[in-house]
Amino acid sequence: MTVDTPAREAVPLPPAPPRRKRKIRDGRDRGVSWPAVGLLLPAVVVLGIFLGYPLLRMFVYSFQDFTRNKNLFSGKAPEWVGLAQYEKILTDGAFWALMARSFGLMVVLVTLTMSLGMLIALLMQRLGKGLKLLVSVGLLLAWSMPALTSTIIFQWMFDTSYGVVNYVLTSVGLDFDRFAWLSQPLTFFFVATVLITWQSIPFVAFTLFAGLTQVPDDALEAAELDGASSWGRFRHIVVPFIKPVIAVVLMLQVIWDLRVFTQIYALRQAGAAPNTDVIGTYIYRYGVAQGNYSEASAIAVILTLIMLALSFLYIRSLLRQEDV
């Protein structure tokens, strides 16, 4: 006779504890590297002497009433006026027109330079060795030419009486006989835009080309096999890979084009067109030529603060990318 034993009920197992995400330790040393500080200290001291002191004096001048005739030649101590210079500048409509003109020119220059530089960099990837060498030499020649020399050449090209541009346009039937390019604001900035863009493209093209060489061919081939178009491969593969390079070049172009001086000043000397000042030339003419150092210093301080704000935003974006 057998005795039936009741079946044992399955005892549910306790739920497994949640797995903790392992923290990836950053191998970088967060401490102070005194040898690195020692190597950087001489450069910091030199910058502090040759850059920090003039910036400090400029900042002090912006709070004083300091002019050439009133204080420099007479030997009188400048009067402390506080924020009066800034109030005068910020309430002046001509200053805001100057800022709008400078920022508008910067936007046009950055857009053209980045677009054409990227196109040339992409073109250099597809060229053979001979043509790539020829394009590189042409870019280096344009890049190595001094800004003042290039400006003088452009002045002759767009000269009213003997310029080759007027000659060619007149030869094809257009009415450009003795046309004064540098005497009108619109055509003046057209010439300046062509000149500055031509000088800036080599740096952008070479830098972006160096970034394009780091894009893996496997990713591009896989995207092509999946049916991605050329624009799709550029947008979704190439741009993300070289995004840090694009950010560096873009930030540098914004700073350089916002403080452009040599080309505008030299073209103004040749054409003297009205309403063609930008921030750099206005500070020079108003401060050095007319001797109004206080207002020129205040405008320069405003421009410096704008540059610092742009640099802060750029560095902040780089740090965010590193933390991702």
Side-chain angles (χ1 to χ4, degrees):
M1 182 176 178
T2 58
V3 180
D4 296 335
T5 57
R8 291 184 178 179
E9 296 181 359
V11 179
L13 296 175
R19 296 181 63 181
R20 294 182 179 178
K21 293 182 178 179
R22 294 181 60 187
K23 268 189 170 183
I24 301 175
R25 296 185 60 185
D26 193 353
R28 293 175 294 182
D29 187 12
R30 297 293 183 178
V32 178
S33 176
W34 293 110
V37 173
L39 292 173
L40 288 174
L41 189 59
V44 173
V45 171
V46 172
L47 286 175
I49 294 174
F50 292 101
L51 184 62
Y53 178 74
L55 284 175
L56 179 62
R57 293 300 302 170
M58 180 184 71
F59 186 74
V60 172
Y61 282 154
S62 67
F63 293 98
Q64 296 175 337
D65 185 11
F66 187 81
T67 62
R68 179 189 299 162
N69 297 327
K70 184 177 180 181
N71 304 105
L72 189 62
F73 291 155
S74 64
K76 295 180 180 179
E79 180 184 355
W80 190 269
V81 294
L83 297 175
Q85 305 289 0
Y86 291 95
E87 182 180 359
K88 179 181 178 181
I89 292 169
L90 296 177
T91 55
D92 187 6
F95 170 75
W96 293 109
L98 174 71
M99 294 293 289
R101 190 183 308 130
S102 301
F103 273 87
L105 179 64
M106 180 267 293
V107 170
V108 173
L109 290 174
V110 170
T111 302
L112 289 175
T113 305
M114 293 298 295
S115 301
L116 295 175
M118 177 63 79
L119 289 175
I120 293 176
L122 292 171
L123 177 64
M124 290 175 66
Q125 268 197 316
R126 298 178 177 271
L127 293 177
K129 290 185 179 180
L131 289 177
K132 186 184 297 185
L133 178 62
L134 183 63
V135 173
S136 300
V137 170
L139 290 174
L140 285 173
L141 289 176
W143 196 10
S144 61
M145 188 174 294
L148 186 58
T149 304
S150 303
T151 307
I152 294 174
I153 293 174
F154 268 71
Q155 288 176 2
W156 279 105
M157 289 174 58
F158 288 89
D159 185 74
T160 304
S161 303
Y162 307 104
V164 65
V165 175
N166 283 351
Y167 174 78
V168 171
L169 294 176
T170 305
S171 300
V172 297
L174 299 177
D175 187 15
F176 280 88
D177 184 28
R178 304 186 63 82
F179 184 78
W181 290 87
L182 302 178
S183 63
Q184 302 175 21
L186 185 60
T187 53
F188 176 92
F189 280 113
F190 172 78
V191 176
T193 300
V194 174
L195 169 61
I196 299 170
T197 303
W198 175 72
Q199 291 182 307
S200 302
I201 281 178
F203 170 76
V204 177
F206 280 127
T207 309
L208 294 180
F209 175 72
L212 290 173
T213 58
Q214 305 303 313
V215 179
D217 295 332
D218 297 340
L220 294 173
E221 292 175 1
E224 187 175 3
L225 292 175
D226 289 339
S229 62
S230 300
W231 169 249
R233 295 195 300 272
F234 174 77
R235 180 182 176 186
H236 297 291
I237 297 178
V238 175
V239 172
F241 267 102
I242 65 172
K243 188 176 180 181
V245 180
I246 295 176
V248 171
V249 176
L250 179 63
M251 190 64 216
L252 290 175
Q253 286 302 130
V254 168
I255 293 176
W256 291 340
D257 292 335
L258 193 57
R259 61 181 183 86
V260 62
F261 172 79
T262 304
Q263 297 88 340
I264 302 297
Y265 182 79
L267 289 177
R268 279 183 56 86
Q269 296 299 108
N275 300 323
T276 52
D277 262 322
V278 292
I279 297 177
T281 57
Y282 185 81
I283 291 174
Y284 177 80
R285 288 198 315 108
Y286 203 63
V288 177
Q290 299 183 17
N292 196 335
Y293 301 117
S294 295
E295 288 193 33
S297 297
I299 297 175
V301 168
I302 295 173
L303 179 61
T304 303
L305 293 176
I306 294 173
M307 296 294 186
L308 289 176
L310 293 174
S311 302
F312 171 76
L313 293 175
Y314 165 68
I315 294 173
R316 186 179 178 185
S317 66
L318 284 185
L319 293 176
R320 283 182 176 180
Q321 290 179 7
E322 289 184 358
D323 293 337
V324 174

